[in-house]
Amino acid sequence: MDKRAKDLAEAVAPIPDGASVMIGGFGSSGIPFGLIDALLEQGARELTIIANNAGAGETGVAKLLRDGRVAKVVCSYPRSPGSIWFERRFEAREIELEVIPQGTLAERIRAAGAGLGGFLTPTGYGTLLAEGKETRVIDGRGYVMEGPLHADFALLRAEAGDPWGNLSYHGTARNFNPVMAMGARHSIAEVRHLSEAPLEPERVVTPGIFVQSVVEYGVRP
Amino acid sequence: MNRLSDSDLAARVARDIPDGSYVNLGIGKPTHVSAHVPDGREVVYHSENGILGVGPTPPAGQEDVEMIDASKRYITTAPGASFFEHADSFAMMRGGHIDIAVLGAYQVAENGDLANWATLDETFPPAVGGAMDLVVGVPRILVMMRHTGRDGEAKLLRRCTFPLTGLGVVSRVYTDLAVLDVTDAGFVLVDLTPGNSLAEVQAVTEATIHT
């Protein structure tokens, strides 16, 4: 089995206009900067971006927002220092925003990958973010019903990968990458080191079954 | 009135964190707490982006760009640290495994309601992050905040006016003017910043402070 793509451009070629795309990372760590740049170059528009943050400065998701490629952002924490492109698009009402509590975002993505129809969480019960959602009281405690969150594609960043699509991570760069690998129908991983040889099985964090293509990108900006 | 600096306020919170605790520090003022934990106590800091055992800031030039905390500051690891992915990280938070969370707030009400993720300004995008998960899962929620807003408006209220993060979730509030417990009877005074009188603090607090 060989899931290696020739380059970043080949890896992102299948992403069409209107696709939903999960993008790994938290703050500045674990972000697939190379794949995002390749997606920008590729030109897909009207994207739904599912990520924890909405980018900062002129890097990553912020570039997609800057260049008008994004129709909708689904995230937990869009506003951060330097998130100027998100704020401009939001204030001009050029993008739709769905804010989801961070743990619910991760678990909805996991549910999609794990084949679950949803779950009951106490997070958000009684708040604005639970309005219109099914609720239930179990043993005196309120829960909100949350459904799975699927995506057409996921763009991931990992430290090491092999031709089978197995991935391992570095430090806090792991974050959303493993759940997004599960939650998307087609997951593309950018890795710092892509080896010919298989990774040590004990070192694998994301099993290759969740990854459809893998490409080396050694730069860590 | 005498107002504690952010650093002194962090030290006041740190005094109340017991040895052996697993603690999550929110973005902003709470991040200063770890620098003030008294010698001899081991506290394990959790950061929602996937680390237990957050260590001190690295020396300049030795930062690892992939090692950050929830406030996006560069970090190191403490002895006994571990890394994990987001769904596991939030299982720790919702599942009752973290002992204490220290959070910032826009408003706290006398019934323990917390508002810290959105205002009433529709042009100001909301940002919930992990706050709603923390308040439902962590048994002891400590809030660190200025007692009053920029224009002197009260932030310790009978009922919150901003959208809620959680209902009845706050255990104790540490402000620059006083420390208050949230009880079934409402706010109860724990201590005052030295030099302040209860009458002075009550005058800038909408809710009643009980003694």
Side-chain angles (χ1 to χ4, degrees):
Chain A
M1 194 168 281
D2 192 353
K3 298 184 178 181
R4 289 174 293 179
K6 180 168 72 67
D7 53 25
L8 294 166
E10 183 183 276
V12 301
I15 302 176
D17 288 357
S20 53
V21 183
M22 292 173 176
I23 299 183
F26 179 102
S28 56
S29 72
I31 297 176
F33 287 109
L35 289 171
I36 294 170
D37 285 349
L39 179 58
L40 199 71
E41 190 76 14
Q42 186 256 40
R45 314 185 71 83
E46 294 294 312
L47 300 170
T48 292
I49 299 297
I50 301 164
N52 188 59
N53 305 98
E58 304 282 337
T59 62
V61 174
K63 279 189 185 173
L64 294 169
L65 286 159
R66 181 192 65 196
D67 291 4
R69 305 299 172 79
V70 181
K72 182 176 181 183
V73 173
V74 180
C75 70
S76 90
Y77 208 83
R79 173 164 44 80
S80 39
S83 59
I84 44 167
W85 285 109
F86 165 76
E87 287 162 45
R88 274 182 208 175
R89 299 292 177 230
F90 181 81
E91 280 162 26
R93 297 175 191 273
E94 291 166 345
I95 52 166
E96 194 184 335
L97 172 68
E98 183 179 352
V99 171
I100 301 178
Q102 200 171 136
T104 300
L105 179 62
E107 198 64 20
R108 286 185 63 193
I109 295 169
R110 208 192 77 81
L116 301 175
F119 54 93
L120 293 162
T121 177
T123 302
Y125 184 81
T127 76
L128 204 58
L129 293 187
E131 266 182 18
K133 291 181 177 166
E134 190 182 334
T135 59
R136 195 180 297 179
V137 175
I138 302 170
D139 291 337
R141 186 160 204 217
Y143 293 84
V144 184
M145 178 77 186
E146 295 281 359
L149 181 62
H150 295 274
D152 301 318
F153 293 89
L155 305 184
L156 313 171
R157 170 76 183 178
E159 182 69 7
D162 67 18
W164 289 263
N166 295 312
L167 305 176
S168 70
Y169 301 90
H170 171 75
T172 54
R174 186 178 308 195
N175 57 59
F176 274 94
N177 287 294
V179 278
M180 287 181 172
M182 296 172 68
R185 281 174 276 268
H186 184 115
S187 296
I188 305 163
E190 159 197 318
V191 300
R192 192 173 182 210
H193 303 289
L194 180 54
S195 59
E196 286 277 342
L199 294 184
E200 276 295 319
E202 293 283 13
R203 215 185 133 196
V204 173
V205 174
T206 294
I209 193 168
F210 297 128
V211 176
Q212 278 63 47
S213 84
V214 57
V215 59
E216 186 168 82
Y217 186 67
V219 184
R220 204 161 60 175
Chain B
M1 266 186 291
N2 291 327
R3 293 182 180 274
L4 287 184
S5 66
D6 284 353
S7 171
D8 289 343
L9 182 56
R12 175 65 189 86
V13 176
R15 263 169 47 197
D16 291 350
I17 297 185
D19 183 39
S21 303
Y22 288 99
V23 176
N24 180 292
L25 300 177
I27 292 173
K29 294 187 207 310
T31 55
H32 300 293
V33 171
S34 59
H36 296 278
V37 170
D39 288 343
R41 291 186 203 174
E42 182 181 11
V43 175
V44 178
Y45 296 99
H46 169 266
S47 191
E48 66 213 39
N49 55 319
I51 175 172
L52 266 175
V54 176
T57 306
Q62 289 178 43
E63 298 90 352
D64 176 339
V65 296
E66 301 286 33
M67 283 289 296
I68 60 170
D69 65 12
S71 300
K72 286 84 180 176
R73 298 180 315 164
Y74 292 119
I75 55 168
T76 54
T77 52
S82 56
F83 299 122
F84 35 85
E85 52 93 9
H86 245 80
D88 284 350
S89 186
F90 279 78
M92 291 176 197
M93 294 153 75
R94 270 192 322 264
H97 307 282
I98 308 281
D99 301 308
I100 296 172
V102 185
L103 300 174
Y106 296 144
Q107 299 176 333
V108 176
E110 63 185 4
N111 61 355
D113 288 357
L114 170 68
N116 76 350
W117 73 281
T119 64
L120 301 174
D121 177 358
E122 285 190 3
T123 62
F124 187 65
V128 66
M132 285 192 185
D133 302 281
L134 280 169
V135 298
V136 298
V138 178
R140 194 157 170 78
I141 300 292
L142 308 181
V143 167
M144 214 176 143
M145 64 194 291
R146 292 210 181 275
H147 204 95
T148 53
R150 278 205 189 94
D151 302 320
E153 74 274 19
K155 296 169 77 174
L156 297 171
L157 308 173
R158 280 187 284 275
R159 289 294 178 269
C160 294
T161 59
F162 289 171
L164 297 182
T165 306
L167 286 65
V169 295
V170 176
S171 305
R172 181 174 274 195
V173 183
Y174 298 81
T175 80
D176 46 348
L177 301 180
V179 180
L180 306 168
D181 271 337
V182 178
T183 71
D184 291 343
F187 289 119
V188 172
L189 184 69
V190 177
D191 53 44
L192 292 162
T193 297
N196 296 340
S197 73
L198 178 59
E200 286 173 318
V201 176
Q202 180 64 72
V204 293
T205 309
E206 187 201 87
T208 302
I209 301 173
H210 303 274
T211 51

